[in-house]
């Protein structure tokens, strides 16, 4: 695996693989087979996405079980378990965007569409996340849909309170506890602004999403006797917190795009929760690699991947928490926007 900037090209089967700086379909196939293994050698269970379907079945069953048992279990036990399940479902949605190629497109979308996490329409997430995977645009605030950076000219226009909140959001504690309250309203305001300005491209997506949310909350209230507010507090918010932990240091600015994506090694508790998306550099190099193959690729090609991403590797979320618990990981002004504004001498 080259340490140069990566490019991606489709192979003969429509998947995506790492091709090096100047790739070809043949070179991509050779590297994919050497790194991932020949698909023909997979078991029937793997070829038909059995591991992912098993995760889907367990996650939905766990969700229903936690709803049914909430009256008999203290909230401080329900909340972390429910947050885990909601974030697990979000990881499943991410997998449906990139992988699950053994299933028809309509089925893999239908499988993850139910909005049990409430706040984000899957159809819109699929579109925006695909834009995020343009690796040369990673971290650029007006091009990368998942960037936490801001252009310097925008930063200067923010008020003192906004800048303070955004800096607090760059600490580990801040991201977990206030991150959901900053990210979610910002996204909604942006979407409403687009509709007011006459851009109705996402109206249908939002209509379907709101119908789905209504059905979820109706089920929660009528069948399981849980209020919408309690569901948001015990299921949705903890799930968002876990998502904020995963994304806290996924990306940072680097001169080369390959250096902008991290690897966070972790145990099976978090690895399974995130479907190994914490090994994020592997995912960006092989975006269609099924989640259960990611750890093996990391173990077998650790040194090559570390060279590729400039050693942007952490031993676990404990290390990240210790280093940036109350210290900002970076000031969220994009470094390249500062360079562009320096007048030529």
């Amino acid at each position: 695996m080259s340490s140069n900037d990566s490019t991606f090209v489709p192979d003969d089967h429509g998947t995506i693989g790492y091709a090096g700086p100047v790739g070809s379909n043949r070179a991509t196939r050779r590297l994919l087979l050497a790194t991932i293994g020949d698909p023909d050698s997979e078991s029937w269970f793997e070829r038909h996405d059995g591991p992912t379907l098993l995760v889907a079945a367990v996650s939905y069953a766990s969700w229903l079980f936690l709803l049914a048992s909430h009256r008999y279990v203290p909230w401080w036990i329900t909340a972390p378990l429910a947050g885990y399940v909601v974030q697990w479902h979000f990881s499943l949605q991410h997998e449906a965007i990139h992988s699950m190629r053994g299933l028809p497109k309509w089925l893999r979308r239908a499988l993850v569409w139910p909005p049990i996490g409430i706040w984000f329409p899957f159809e819109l997430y699929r579109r925006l996340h695909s834009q995020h995977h343009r690796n040369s645009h990673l971290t650029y605030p007006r091009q990368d849909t998942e960037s936490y950076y801001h252009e310097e000219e925008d930063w200067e226009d923010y008020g003192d309170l906004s800048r303070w909140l955004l800096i607090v959001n760059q600490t580990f504690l801040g991201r977990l506890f206030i991150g959901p309250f900053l990210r979610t309203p910002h996204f909604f305001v942006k979407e409403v602004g687009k509709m007011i300005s006459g851009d109705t491209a996402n109206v249908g997506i939002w209509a379907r999403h709101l119908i789905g949310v209504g059905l979820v909350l109706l089920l929660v209230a009528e069948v399981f006797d849980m209020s919408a507010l309690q569901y948001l507090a015990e299921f949705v918010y903890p799930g968002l917190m876990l998502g904020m932990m995963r994304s806290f240091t996924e990306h940072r600015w680097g001169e080369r795009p390959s250096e902008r994506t991290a690897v966070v090694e972790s145990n099976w508790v978090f690895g399974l929760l995130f479907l190994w998306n914490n090994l994020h550099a592997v995912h960006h190099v092989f975006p269609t690699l099924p989640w259960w193959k990611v750890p093996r690729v990391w173990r077998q090609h650790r040194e090559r991947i570390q060279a590729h991403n400039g050693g942007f590797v952490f031993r676990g979320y404990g290390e990240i928490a210790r280093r940036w618990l109350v210290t900002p990981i970076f000031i969220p002004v994009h470094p390249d926007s500062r360079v562009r504004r320096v007048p030529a001498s």
Side-chain angles (χ1 to χ4, degrees), residues 2 11 15-16 20 26 33 47 54 77 114 139 168 236 239 319:
S2 168
D11 68 14
T15 58
I16 299 174
R26 184 175 297 176
L33 291 178
R47 285 198 305 273
L54 183 60
I77 294 179
T139 75
V168 171
V236 177
E319 176 191 346

Side-chain angles (χ1 to χ4, degrees), residues 127-143:
R127 181 189 305 169
L128 295 176
H129 187 69
S130 298
Q131 296 175 28
H132 165 72
H133 270 269
R134 298 177 299 179
N135 285 351
S136 60
H137 296 168
L138 282 174
T139 75
Y140 283 86
R142 294 177 184 171
Q143 299 176 66

Side-chain angles (χ1 to χ4, degrees), residues 219-236:
L219 174 73
V220 166
E222 296 300 320
V223 176
F224 298 106
D225 195 27
M226 175 182 278
S227 70
L229 185 60
Q230 187 178 1
Y231 183 76
L232 291 173
E234 294 186 16
F235 281 70
V236 177

Side-chain angles (χ1 to χ4, degrees), residues 271-329:
L272 188 59
L273 170 62
F274 301 134
L275 297 183
W276 299 108
N277 197 29
N278 49 297
L279 305 176
H280 207 55
V282 179
H283 170 63
H284 269 262
V285 173
F286 296 105
T288 60
L289 182 65
W291 65 271
W292 66 89
K293 295 184 178 181
V294 170
R296 176 169 59 82
V297 170
W298 169 243
R299 288 193 304 269
Q300 293 179 352
H301 301 274
R302 178 189 175 107
E303 291 184 2
R304 300 172 76 187
I305 295 168
Q306 279 191 278
H308 178 72
N309 82 338
F312 188 15
V313 177
F314 301 95
R315 298 293 298 181
Y317 291 102
E319 176 191 346
I320 294 168
R322 287 191 299 271
R323 292 174 66 176
W324 293 294
L325 188 69
V326 293
T327 302
I329 190 168

Side-chain angles (χ1 to χ4, degrees), residues 49 52-53 92 95-96 98-104 108 111-112:
D49 289 289
T52 307
L53 292 173
L92 195 66
E95 186 72 8
H98 289 282
S99 191
M100 296 173 68
R101 304 297 170 174
L103 301 177
R108 66 174 180 260
L111 189 67
V112 302

Side-chain angles (χ1 to χ4, degrees), residues 51-91:
T52 307
L53 292 173
L54 183 60
V55 167
V58 174
S59 65
Y60 283 120
S62 301
W63 179 66
L64 292 171
F65 174 78
L66 288 168
L67 285 170
S69 63
H70 81 92
R71 284 173 291 184
Y72 315 106
V73 179
W75 71 267
W76 48 269
I77 294 179
T78 297
L81 294 175
Y84 191 101
V85 169
V86 168
Q87 179 54 216
W88 206 15
H89 182 263
F90 186 78
S91 297

